[in-house]
Amino acid sequence: MSTQRTSIRNRVLVIVTLCTLLTGPVAVVSASGGALADDANATEEPYLEDVPEEGDEYFEMEDPDGEWISYLNPRDWYRDPMAGDGSGKICVTLLNEEGEFIVGETVPETTATIDTGDPLDWHPDANPVVVEFPLTEHYDRPLDADQFGTTDDSPQGDGSLDSHCVEWHGLEDDATIEYTDVEIAGEHADRIEVVGYVQQANEAWDTDVDPLEDAVPYEEVGGWSYQTEDSHGQVVVVLQLQSGDGDRSQPAGETSFADRMPGFGPLAALAAVGVALIGALARRRR
């Protein structure tokens, strides 16, 4: 009898272990086709891309004095005819729930729109600036700027691209560009929170800022004015994903293998355990 009981316990342990493995957390692909993160708090993996190095086709130039570094951007245009040295830049940064930079693979068919008004009528990517997600499906150069972070190896940035930008040059030095509050629209608009705006008006963007901690409400920015001795202005619109997209019943990043097997969900797994236990008890009573 002791041997029989040991055999039954062993069978039950094997069955329970298998079901646990079947229902354990794994990284999967979301219904929208975007990669989900292994971290339970993030629904999209961070997008990591190093900045171009000297000799790369997208490397532009570095200040001889080591004050700034520039990368080529296909959305960088010059006014013709140029009316002055006034220049500017509007960027959009999207973060996952963990504050990591992403490209919006899990929020397709969603847009961020910032109106810039008539002064930028001549710019093909402005008035308004419309950013479509996922960036990797709509743009040859999804991320083009290193706006945040620092490193000893570069005068600006931390060596990773983090923003999608529109740039312009050739405006009057004292021109004013105003931009509207960003409007999020589309299939997953309710998943994107507008964290705020990080704005600077100087010759070189100070990357020693945090997109979450230093972003402020639109009411505190709302545009900038160029000055002859300080003719460049930039703003980054900071967006962040919110947990849950309505397509999954489990917490983000914890969809199980059993859930993805047709006709074999958690209930079916528990039922299998129950049947196995009943069978084992029945054999024991024979």
Side-chain angles (χ1 to χ4, degrees), residues 1-233:
M1 181 65 70
S2 175
T3 301
Q4 184 179 14
R5 289 178 179 175
T6 300
S7 177
I8 292 172
R9 283 199 302 270
N10 289 341
R11 291 177 184 176
V12 171
L13 285 173
V14 169
I15 293 171
V16 170
T17 301
L18 287 174
C19 290
T20 301
L21 290 173
L22 288 173
T23 57
V26 294
V28 298
V29 175
S30 72
S32 62
L36 299 183
D38 292 330
D39 194 309
N41 294 319
T43 54
E44 183 174 330
E45 294 280 2
Y47 186 86
L48 302 176
E49 183 178 355
D50 293 338
V51 298
E53 297 182 353
E54 189 169 0
D56 186 280
E57 62 176 320
Y58 288 108
F59 182 92
E60 188 171 19
M61 64 182 68
E62 183 174 350
D63 178 34
D65 296 328
E67 296 296 324
W68 50 263
I69 191 168
S70 179
Y71 312 108
L72 292 176
N73 178 359
R75 293 165 293 278
D76 184 1
W77 287 77
Y78 286 78
R79 184 181 184 276
D80 186 17
M82 293 183 66
D85 294 326
S87 62
K89 190 173 183 178
I90 287 181
C91 304
V92 171
T93 287
L94 180 61
L95 308 170
N96 65 14
E97 295 87 338
E98 290 292 292
E100 300 163 318
F101 300 106
I102 58 175
V103 291
E105 292 180 350
T106 55
V107 286
E109 306 299 327
T110 306
T111 60
T113 301
I114 307 105
D115 197 359
T116 52
D118 295 342
L120 292 182
D121 270 346
W122 53 272
H123 196 302
D125 297 302
N127 192 28
V129 173
V130 181
V131 179
E132 300 180 79
F133 298 110
L135 299 174
T136 46
E137 291 186 8
H138 296 283
Y139 306 98
D140 293 334
R141 191 90 174 124
L143 299 178
D144 52 71
D146 185 0
Q147 300 287 104
F148 299 101
T150 60
T151 179
D152 294 336
D153 300 330
S154 176
Q156 287 180 289
D158 61 3
S160 294
L161 298 176
D162 52 42
S163 302
H164 175 95
C165 304
V166 170
E167 303 179 51
W168 58 87
H169 308 269
L171 296 184
E172 299 86 347
D173 295 342
D174 60 352
T176 298
I177 297 295
E178 295 181 351
Y179 56 87
T180 61
D181 200 356
V182 63
E183 179 181 348
I184 310 299
E187 184 176 346
H188 299 281
D190 59 343
R191 284 203 61 212
I192 297 179
E193 175 192 6
V194 179
V195 177
Y197 302 77
V198 178
Q199 180 177 297
Q200 297 180 24
N202 51 34
E203 290 294 342
W205 177 266
D206 179 10
T207 63
D208 191 15
V209 289
D210 186 276
L212 294 177
E213 295 181 1
D214 295 315
V216 299
Y218 175 76
E219 292 74 20
E220 294 186 26
V221 285
W224 59 80
S225 296
Y226 298 121
Q227 299 175 2
T228 302
E229 68 278 3
D230 200 19
S231 62
H232 183 77

